Amino acid sequence: MVLKTAVKSDIEIAQESKMKPIVEIAKKIGLEEDDLELFGKYKAKLSNEALAKLKTKESGKIILVTSINPTPAGEGKSTVTVGLADAFNRIGKKTMIALREPSLGPTMGIKGGATGGGFSQVLPMEDINLHFTGDLHAITTANNALAALIDNHLQQGNELNIDQRRIVWKRAVDLNDRALRKVIIGLGGPLQGVPREDGFDITVASEIMAVLCLATDLKDLKLRLSRMVVAYNYHKEPVTVGDLGVEGALTLLLKDAVKPNLVQTIEHTPALIHGGPFANIAHGCNSVIATQAAAKLADYVITEAGFGADLGAEKFLHIKSRSAGIKPEAVVIVATIRALKMHGGVPKNELAKENISSLTLGFANLKKHIETINSFGLPVVVAINKFITDTELEVKTLLDMCEKENVPVSLTEVWEKGGAGGIELAETLLAVIDSRENNFKSLYDLSDSIEQKVRTIVQKVYGGKDVEFSSKAKKQLIDFEKFGWSHLAVCMAKSQYSLSDDPGKLGRPSDFVVTVREFKPSIGAGFIVALTGDVMTMPGLPKKPSALNMDVDEDGNAIGLF
Amino acid sequence: MVLKTAVKSDIEIAQESKMKPIVEIAKKIGLEEDDLELFGKYKAKLSNEALAKLKTKESGKIILVTSINPTPAGEGKSTVTVGLADAFNRIGKKTMIALREPSLGPTMGIKGGATGGGFSQVLPMEDINLHFTGDLHAITTANNALAALIDNHLQQGNELNIDQRRIVWKRAVDLNDRALRKVIIGLGGPLQGVPREDGFDITVASEIMAVLCLATDLKDLKLRLSRMVVAYNYHKEPVTVGDLGVEGALTLLLKDAVKPNLVQTIEHTPALIHGGPFANIAHGCNSVIATQAAAKLADYVITEAGFGADLGAEKFLHIKSRSAGIKPEAVVIVATIRALKMHGGVPKNELAKENISSLTLGFANLKKHIETINSFGLPVVVAINKFITDTELEVKTLLDMCEKENVPVSLTEVWEKGGAGGIELAETLLAVIDSRENNFKSLYDLSDSIEQKVRTIVQKVYGGKDVEFSSKAKKQLIDFEKFGWSHLAVCMAKSQYSLSDDPGKLGRPSDFVVTVREFKPSIGAGFIVALTGDVMTMPGLPKKPSALNMDVDEDGNAIGLF
């Protein structure tokens, strides 16, 4: 967004926007004040009673927004999601948004919010990007309460025979804090616990976040929490939260976090923002409860999944859809000409120059994602998020290439124009939903072996040649078979920057082999994470963290938050 | 409360109570819905605008509730605070409560809430004892964001020349987690930070909690945060938050946590519950902002301070009162016959038996606290929190002893009867405020040396003979003089169980010498902590933590929370 900062910053646009009371927004979708638990005037949780009432209602249509492999040029997936929903409402379609909640870690670290941009933002952006309604804090607390209870179990006699070298439950903070990646705890003598290696993840990487996002209600949440594996005993058998007997306490800590949060866009489109699991170690989509509630409250729901289509969309379609019985009507793939040029080999500082050959080369990345979504049996629309540096010839070239692929495409200007800039995209999408066939199917069956599931994803979604499993991974699979975990879904942890597991391979690499280094069972979430390459579950802060620019004036207004 | 569980548990009484919408409670004290930031129907924060409007209003009278040195028998200070306020309202005095927020650590660990008991409770007790309005989570986050920024500073070149062996800022979780007391962080090689010793405190022990509770507004909060010392450089000079340039970001993270929370008692008395610093490493009172707001909104404010009068009341009167210009009208000292008998030497399992001689002996503890409060120039009332095991003769003996000391005394039955059980106490208190002189004065001047301030407290408040300073403490005082910190208040960290620094010495020990092992500067809060004995800043969990009994039903109702 560098070229646009001469105009207005996101926070300036957000703060100049006039929100409506959330009670009014709720009325538009048939909710009364009694259905809400207010958090100030502009945020609310849907009450358990309201959620229960919705169960019998018919569901609207769900549209998934995804993107090409992300680049430092920026694609604007959330911005398009927000602008598209605003556009739907402008043309008379009752539409809601379902988005992920941001994490405080990146907020304090690297400039850039998770609430859209320009005139396509969800509000109040300061609150959403800071503590919001406390969901992430509740998850952090539940995560760390569980860790404390495990260490206390060791300290108080270790009845479950937990092998302290095989405790897999890590602690969490919702911050970027590299110094906590590897730690030793329990030092100081026998009164201060049992010394052991440990580490902290960022909260969005906690399995509790994934569990909360896949749970369908409180009962399901408790069941999933009880299944989470926290350690192995001296017989190398899994020890679960249920074995510790603390699933009730964890559910109690999460009883409010599990309720979706209602906010609005600049154009007053209702949005449910709820849950935000990592798209590497987890499945990268907002909560099932929020998506399903939005579908009951509106005729159309625009939702997004993390990173590019190879990670976020694949997991949405294989994990979230299957687990919750959600069938999307169509998929929007967001791309920018700048990002496609990067995929074609242009360095970031030369993106403002016209470069047709690189654009043509980089288009291969987009083309692969189109093919993948089609292979799921789903209609696709390409959304080109327009930048002022895009030349006429570049735009024409891209449109022509899309036409040749027989994929509907639309230019959007939602950053600058809000919903008005997304009307063409909305109309294209509606036409596609009406006219194109939807034969949604999974690319693998749960009854396939774990190896086979991974291989299917690598070959059909990434376009790779094959998969190699490390000897450690192979040994793990033998255990998983024994523990009865082979029927679970697979959650790939892979670099988001490339279709392959090598972040340097942009565009559309081929003939590559993906190496699965290790598996990480997330039994509560219901998937086995396949780790390829290095997976970051605790980011670090940059040399000049954005915290240095943050402030608050004497009236309590946020300054320097993006 | 063991003998009363045959009746109803606190949570049963709480859940059977019918709350009024908090908007209605607010109306009673002249606040409109627009002055509130609602958190559901029964909790609200006062908005910055509402707080600003209050500034010009006249202040009501503040009554401080404190107690004898706490014993395992239980005294019921919060219960009396709540019941007394209800009683004041019953006799037509417009009264509010200002209380501390509970910490989740003890909640998950040891049965027993911080929201009063029986029919003298603040509601909704489940919410208040769990995440409430997220204040503690915001403080934890600010605390740990600062820690991450310090370690990032080391990692990114260490411009401020911080000595990594002299980083004094610890991390925090709002949990009881002994395994985090002493840790090593930054392991794993050059990309994972700089290895060093570290430790975690419970959030209520974070200096940020003390700072938030002493700040008078956002501007003062930022100033105090910027003064906090986080480390020393290689020249052994202090490095502050201001040197790191992140006081703006920390204030931003606390911009909502700094607003007081409005709730109600079972009898619909409005209560501000806000802030909860430890009464050992910090000053143990709810926030200045809440106390002052309550005083503007009502004619009487009942507030309490942590632990016994030697710690909580001393700090209220020397630290909070001085810093904020608050002058209490009178002090209530809560005692139970059971607890006095323990101070007289009776073991816990024999408390149900009549024991006049032990009661007489144990009275010495109460007598000392009465003398101390009188030495501050303040009128005292003793509140005897009645238990069903108290015999008639015991009651008569205690009343007689109080009469001999010329101190007004009143029996209360607020646990069983709510405000109705506190009317006699309320009337006694009002008579005392009207009739007895109030010559409130501090026992030491800020211009006294740190040693002199400590000595004054030990001799005049604890009744000790003298103070010994370790050689480390003496060396620190030389540095403090150099850094310009000698004019700050002193905050004693001492065992709450005894007037001395030896928790085994009950009753009224004499001729004892208190040893100051070390000082801990809390420059943001504005005091120097004098550490005597072992001070627990991170509690552990018991063998059977109360988390094991907690649950939530399918409708989202808390189970097993006290």
Side-chain angles (χ1 to χ4, degrees), chain A residues 241-274:
Chain A
V241 169
D243 295 331
L244 284 165
V246 296
E247 68 274 20
L250 300 189
T251 312
L252 180 61
L253 286 169
L254 298 168
K255 77 181 175 65
D256 295 310
V258 79
K259 301 170 191 164
N261 308 295
L262 180 66
V263 291
Q264 64 189 289
T265 69
I266 289 179
E267 300 188 4
H268 314 302
T269 296
L272 289 180
I273 303 204
H274 191 224

Side-chain angles (χ1 to χ4, degrees), chain A residues 38-58:
Chain A
L38 294 176
F39 283 70
K41 291 189 182 58
Y42 304 109
K43 295 165 289 182
K45 281 190 171 283
L46 304 193
S47 71
N48 286 330
E49 294 74 26
L51 291 169
K53 274 195 292 187
L54 293 180
K55 290 216 164 163
T56 53
K57 285 188 72 179
E58 217 177 306

Side-chain angles (χ1 to χ4, degrees), chain B residues 438-457:
Chain B
N438 183 320
N439 303 304
F440 178 46
K441 61 170 196 295
S442 183
L443 301 184
Y444 65 74
D445 289 328
L446 287 181
S447 58
D448 295 346
S449 69
I450 301 279
E451 293 101 312
Q452 187 50 50
K453 284 179 251 198
V454 175
R455 187 164 288 114
T456 299
I457 294 169

Side-chain angles (χ1 to χ4, degrees), chain A residues 33-41 43 48-49 104 108 126-127 130-131 134 137-149 151-152 155-157 159 171-188 190-194 198 200 218-219 222 244-256 540-559 561, chain B residues 33-41 43 48-49 104 108 126-127 130-131 134 137-149 151-152 155-157 159 171-188 190-194 198 200 218-219 222 244-256 540-559 561:
Chain A
E33 185 160 356
D34 256 2
D35 295 322
L36 304 180
E37 294 171 6
L38 294 176
F39 283 70
K41 291 189 182 58
K43 295 165 289 182
N48 286 330
E49 294 74 26
L104 258 169
M108 304 300 289
E126 307 93 311
D127 293 16
L130 291 171
H131 307 290
H137 292 322
I139 292 169
T140 307
T141 304
N143 184 100
N144 293 343
L146 176 53
L149 288 159
D151 277 299
N152 191 56
Q155 174 78 3
Q156 306 281 2
E159 222 171 277
R171 286 172 166 82
V173 288
D174 189 30
L175 291 165
N176 289 9
D177 193 348
R178 73 168 67 71
L180 292 181
R181 283 176 191 153
K182 289 191 188 200
V183 303
I184 296 174
I185 63 166
L187 298 173
L191 296 181
Q192 332 286 346
V194 178
D198 195 12
F200 285 68
L218 264 179
K219 193 178 155 186
K222 198 193 294 179
L244 284 165
V246 296
E247 68 274 20
L250 300 189
T251 312
L252 180 61
L253 286 169
L254 298 168
K255 77 181 175 65
D256 295 310
L541 287 168
K543 183 148 179 111
K544 297 227 170 291
S546 53
L548 294 172
N549 306 315
M550 290 180 184
D551 206 348
V552 55
D553 70 18
E554 286 177 27
D555 297 325
N557 300 307
I559 299 171
L561 197 64
Chain B
E33 185 161 353
D34 254 4
D35 295 321
L36 304 180
E37 294 172 5
L38 294 176
F39 283 69
K41 291 188 183 59
K43 297 165 288 183
N48 285 330
E49 296 73 25
L104 258 170
M108 304 300 289
E126 305 93 309
D127 293 16
L130 291 171
H131 307 291
H137 292 321
I139 292 169
T140 307
T141 304
N143 184 99
N144 293 343
L146 175 53
L149 288 159
D151 278 298
N152 191 54
Q155 174 77 1
Q156 308 281 2
E159 221 171 277
R171 286 172 166 84
V173 288
D174 189 30
L175 290 165
N176 289 9
D177 193 348
R178 72 169 67 70
L180 293 181
R181 284 175 191 153
K182 289 192 186 199
V183 303
I184 296 174
I185 63 166
L187 299 173
L191 296 181
Q192 331 286 346
V194 177
D198 195 11
F200 285 68
L218 263 178
K219 191 177 157 186
K222 198 194 296 181
L244 285 164
V246 296
E247 68 275 21
L250 300 188
T251 312
L252 181 61
L253 286 170
L254 298 168
K255 78 181 174 62
D256 295 310
L541 287 169
K543 183 150 179 109
K544 297 227 169 292
S546 52
L548 294 174
N549 307 314
M550 291 180 183
D551 205 348
V552 55
D553 69 19
E554 286 177 28
D555 297 325
N557 300 307
I559 299 170
L561 197 65

